Amino acid sequence: MNKILVFAESKNNEFKSPAFEVVSAGIFLAEKLNFEFSVITVSNAGEDQLKSLGKFGAKEIFSINLEELNSLSGKPGIKYSHSAIASVISNFAKDNGYGIIIISGTAFGKEIAPCVSVKTGYSIVTDIVDLSGIESKMVKRPSYAGKCYTQVKINTDNYVLTIRPNVFKASENPSEPSINKFEAGKLNISGIDFKSCVSEVVVSSGKLDVAEADVIVSGGRGLRGPEHFHLVEELAAALGAATGASRAVVDAGWRPHGEQVGQTGKTVSPSLYVACGISGAIQHLAGMSSSKYIVAINKDKDAPIFQVADYGIVGDVFEILPALTLEINKLKS
Amino acid sequence: MKIAVCVSLVPDSTTKVKVAQTGNEIDDAGVTYIINPYDEFAVEEAVQLKEKNGGEVTVISYGLDKSKEAIKKAYQMGADKGILIKSSSKYFDSYVVARNLADVLKELNPDIIFFGKQSIDFDGSVVPIMTAEILGLPSVNVVTKLEINGNDASAEREIEGGKEIVKFSLPAIIGAQKGLNNPRYPNLKSIMASKSKPIEERQPAYDTNNTEITEMKLPDAKGQGKIFTNGISDVPELVRLLREEAKTI
């Protein structure tokens, strides 16, 4: 009999969709495999916040207090340590017989999961988009930024999985969770587990990130210069969307790299992706073609972007973007 | 300063992926292989450190014989020595790579080790951190800025909608993200010199894969979309479709 441990990530002591999605994935796995599952958290979240995980079906929650954990570091003023949190998850899993660990493939999750894999000696598969073959230890993940999908067979009894954010929808499944406070001191953690420590988290202007957004409006060379990107930003604002960019405009220095969508940027799968003045180089298509709906606006009717678009207008972005923003704002008011 | 960089060889990002007859790997025909683009940032950072502090840059790759091309590219950018850990099979999982790299790194005992944050073929993004954990070293991945002061280091790491400032001490493993620096273009002289520079070959000590790829598939082809050609006058219809048909706004 194996057990599943789900790591629910918190941000500023709140649980958000990545946490709810892994809980849903945990339930899915637990039912498929007929295994027990528990949730582990490392945060300063209060009881109410922890209970929010119950809304998505968490029944048994082990909560490790972050401040208490940090106090074991012997270093003052640290926010958190990826390596120490990885030790917490690994030691808790090993001590309590959890052979399957699920972590969200966020920036945070990607930093801790490989560490958990080595510490536990469990194998690892990252960025999973389909768990339906888990009874035969088969999982599906994209490769080449989404140009293809691979079925991966796991050959070990125990394993760590990271799941791609925004793919497994968090489904409500209310339950009254039992919240068990677990002392970090009982997990054999010491100063050497704090190999690297985050001293500061800097938020860039509160903008929505393409990796987290459900709607993305991206601009490319067709905008002709960074001074015209306000057209993209205005449409994004009207749609409540994140702003993205093609590699060409990032390399030209028009937009920051954090906005780049594609093979050397971010791979995204929002509900709606609006490509403005983007021709659709193969690297860009790889990074966004798994979006649910794609809208393309481009003056070249033969641009490859139209081959993946669900809807499109052949025309001038300088005319169409303001008209589209106006039309959407009208609708919303 | 003793500096190491781990690199891999990957299909060029312009590659149109086709699945091979075997059904679980890509068709190599017509594919151009290049150094993993993120590894270029790693090599550049290593060479800049050497230029500043003196020392030596050793490049290590795990892979088939053709992975020497990635090492040669690093030579062209200013790396001094190269080691290929030669895999006998085409497929190897990330643990196999990390474990074999760790063996060589342990022996080299560098002051700092660079990787690209992920390779653009399997996009696993796990080898740098796994290698660090096997060696018991600190690691920071997705790094866009690095400052070193004696044995203390500070890195900026890209996260969703911002960055983390991470403190650690050397030796450590750094995973380079685009933005860390601007990789140099090799000049003709360095390209010529790289051709005759030797690459040491090693045999892997560990080759048990914990995972394997059983099938590779292209995404389902999309049907023809609704593309309008009347410009601005099509905007209301587009908005109607997004609202009523796609239900996304």
Side-chain angles (χ1 to χ4, degrees), chain A:
Chain A
M1 180 69 184
N2 213 330
K3 294 200 288 185
I4 300 164
L5 186 63
V6 170
F7 173 67
E9 172 185 340
S10 62
K11 219 172 199 175
N12 301 322
N13 302 318
E14 276 183 48
F15 296 98
K16 296 201 169 143
S17 45
F20 304 145
E21 287 167 17
V22 279
V23 170
S24 291
I27 293 174
F28 178 83
L29 233 61
E31 282 172 2
K32 275 244 169 202
L33 300 170
N34 197 21
F35 288 173
E36 283 174 40
F37 94 104
S38 314
V39 176
I40 185 168
T41 67
V42 183
S43 71
N44 297 317
E47 194 103 338
D48 282 354
Q49 282 303 331
L50 290 165
K51 275 192 177 155
S52 69
L53 296 166
K55 203 168 146 193
F56 296 88
K59 291 194 180 72
E60 188 177 40
I61 300 170
F62 292 94
S63 164
I64 283 103
N65 185 269
L66 180 61
E67 266 176 39
E68 191 188 313
L69 173 66
N70 287 347
S71 73
L72 302 172
S73 69
K75 294 171 187 164
I78 70 166
K79 298 267 181 212
Y80 49 88
S81 160
H82 294 102
S83 57
I85 292 172
S87 295
V88 165
I89 299 167
S90 307
N91 295 357
F92 184 86
K94 295 219 60 148
D95 290 353
N96 298 289
Y98 292 89
I100 299 170
I101 302 172
I102 313 176
I103 296 172
S104 180
T106 56
F108 187 85
K110 283 180 179 170
E111 198 77 355
I112 59 170
C115 201
V116 171
S117 162
V118 174
K119 277 180 193 296
T120 51
Y122 300 177
S123 59
I124 183 168
V125 186
T126 58
D127 212 23
I128 291 163
V129 295
D130 187 353
L131 285 166
S132 59
I134 199 69
E135 287 140 302
S136 36
K137 291 193 191 163
M138 298 280 262
V139 289
K140 187 172 150 189
R141 67 184 299 278
S143 293
Y144 300 88
K147 286 178 188 169
C148 64
Y149 287 89
T150 48
Q151 281 287 352
V152 179
K153 170 99 172 44
I154 301 166
N155 290 330
T156 54
D157 288 338
N158 299 331
Y159 46 88
V160 179
L161 307 176
T162 74
I163 62 165
R164 168 173 284 206
N166 257 337
V167 173
F168 295 88
K169 293 294 167 217
S171 39
E172 292 203 17
N173 188 352
S175 70
E176 193 60 36
S178 73
I179 296 168
N180 310 283
K181 297 211 166 77
F182 199 91
E183 279 176 44
K186 284 186 183 156
L187 286 166
N188 195 24
I189 305 287
S190 66
I192 58 160
D193 291 286
F194 294 78
K195 291 194 185 80
S196 64
C197 295
V198 174
S199 61
E200 199 186 337
V201 179
V202 184
V203 178
S204 52
S205 67
K207 268 170 55 177
L208 196 58
D209 193 276
V210 288
E212 296 179 310
D214 197 42
V215 181
I216 297 170
V217 182
S218 281
R221 272 225 188 273
L223 271 299
R224 286 193 228 137
E227 68 277 18
H228 301 131
F229 261 76
H230 66 94
L231 296 172
V232 173
E233 285 170 343
E234 283 154 15
L235 178 59
L239 289 167
T243 315
S246 70
R247 175 177 167 177
V249 304
V250 170
D251 283 354
W254 299 0
R255 302 300 292 181
H257 176 248
E259 291 186 0
Q260 186 183 323
V261 172
Q263 199 169 9
T264 49
K266 286 174 182 143
T267 302
V268 298
S269 35
S271 306
L272 177 61
Y273 188 92
V274 185
C276 313
I278 292 177
S279 62
I282 186 166
Q283 300 96 324
H284 191 80
L285 299 185
M288 47 65 83
S289 54
S290 63
S291 305
K292 196 157 175 223
Y293 286 100
I294 295 167
V295 174
I297 300 158
N298 200 297
K299 66 174 193 280
D300 174 10
K301 68 173 175 35
D302 297 319
I305 192 77
F306 285 120
Q307 289 165 19
V308 299
D310 299 280
Y311 306 105
I313 299 181
V314 179
D316 186 353
V317 284
F318 291 92
E319 282 179 14
I320 291 164
L321 286 183
L324 190 53
T325 305
L326 191 72
E327 194 72 19
I328 285 162
N329 280 333
K330 255 198 285 178
L331 198 72
K332 301 237 157 155
S333 63

Side-chain angles (χ1 to χ4, degrees), chain B residues 12-235:
Chain B
D12 187 331
S13 65
T14 57
T15 303
K16 195 164 191 276
V17 168
K18 280 183 243 145
V19 179
Q21 290 264 311
T22 55
N24 66 352
E25 58 192 342
I26 71 162
D27 183 350
D28 256 349
V31 174
T32 307
Y33 281 84
I34 56 165
I35 187 171
N36 177 41
Y38 294 112
D39 299 349
E40 290 194 31
F41 301 100
V43 174
E44 179 61 36
E45 198 69 11
V47 172
Q48 283 187 17
L49 262 185
K50 179 185 80 166
E51 287 166 349
K52 201 170 143 202
N53 303 317
E56 195 173 66
V57 175
T58 304
V59 189
I60 310 163
S61 187
Y62 181 90
L64 299 174
D65 196 62
K66 67 181 174 193
S67 296
K68 285 179 180 165
E69 291 307 313
I71 295 174
K72 280 184 190 161
K73 176 70 195 237
Y75 279 166
Q76 292 166 14
M77 293 175 71
D80 304 288
K81 283 186 182 162
I83 300 170
L84 172 70
I85 312 168
K86 209 166 163 179
S87 171
S88 51
S89 69
K90 271 203 259 181
Y91 178 75
F92 32 81
D93 71 12
S94 41
Y95 185 73
V96 167
V97 178
R99 175 90 176 252
N100 284 298
L101 289 175
D103 278 352
V104 174
L105 288 165
K106 196 168 185 181
E107 185 192 311
L108 281 176
N109 195 23
D111 299 302
I112 189 161
I113 302 157
F114 292 97
F115 280 76
K117 65 145 183 155
Q118 75 188 68
S119 66
I120 64 160
D121 47 7
F122 290 103
D123 297 321
S125 190
V126 296
V127 176
I129 300 170
M130 274 187 146
T131 309
E133 192 53 41
I134 294 168
L135 291 167
L137 295 179
S139 60
V140 189
N141 204 6
V142 203
V143 170
T144 52
K145 194 177 174 188
L146 176 67
E147 280 172 31
I148 296 172
N149 199 339
N151 263 337
D152 294 327
S154 173
E156 285 185 16
R157 188 178 108 75
E158 197 178 282
I159 59 169
E160 296 89 354
K163 60 190 177 190
E164 290 170 342
I165 316 290
V166 190
K167 312 271 190 210
F168 54 98
S169 48
L170 301 187
I173 288 187
I174 304 296
Q177 163 71 319
K178 186 173 181 176
L180 179 62
N181 50 46
N182 292 306
R184 65 195 68 193
Y185 289 103
N187 58 32
L188 191 62
K189 197 177 145 211
S190 60
I191 293 173
M192 293 313 286
S194 74
K195 292 191 175 168
S196 56
K197 220 177 214 181
I199 294 171
E200 187 190 333
E201 283 184 26
R202 302 251 184 127
Q203 295 307 313
Y206 182 89
D207 64 359
T208 312
N209 289 316
N210 291 329
T211 59
E212 61 186 299
I213 293 174
T214 55
E215 193 185 13
M216 198 174 257
K217 257 189 173 168
L218 300 184
D220 297 336
K222 265 197 154 173
Q224 177 62 43
K226 292 177 181 161
I227 311 298
F228 303 102
T229 54
N230 298 317
I232 195 164
S233 58
D234 292 321
V235 169

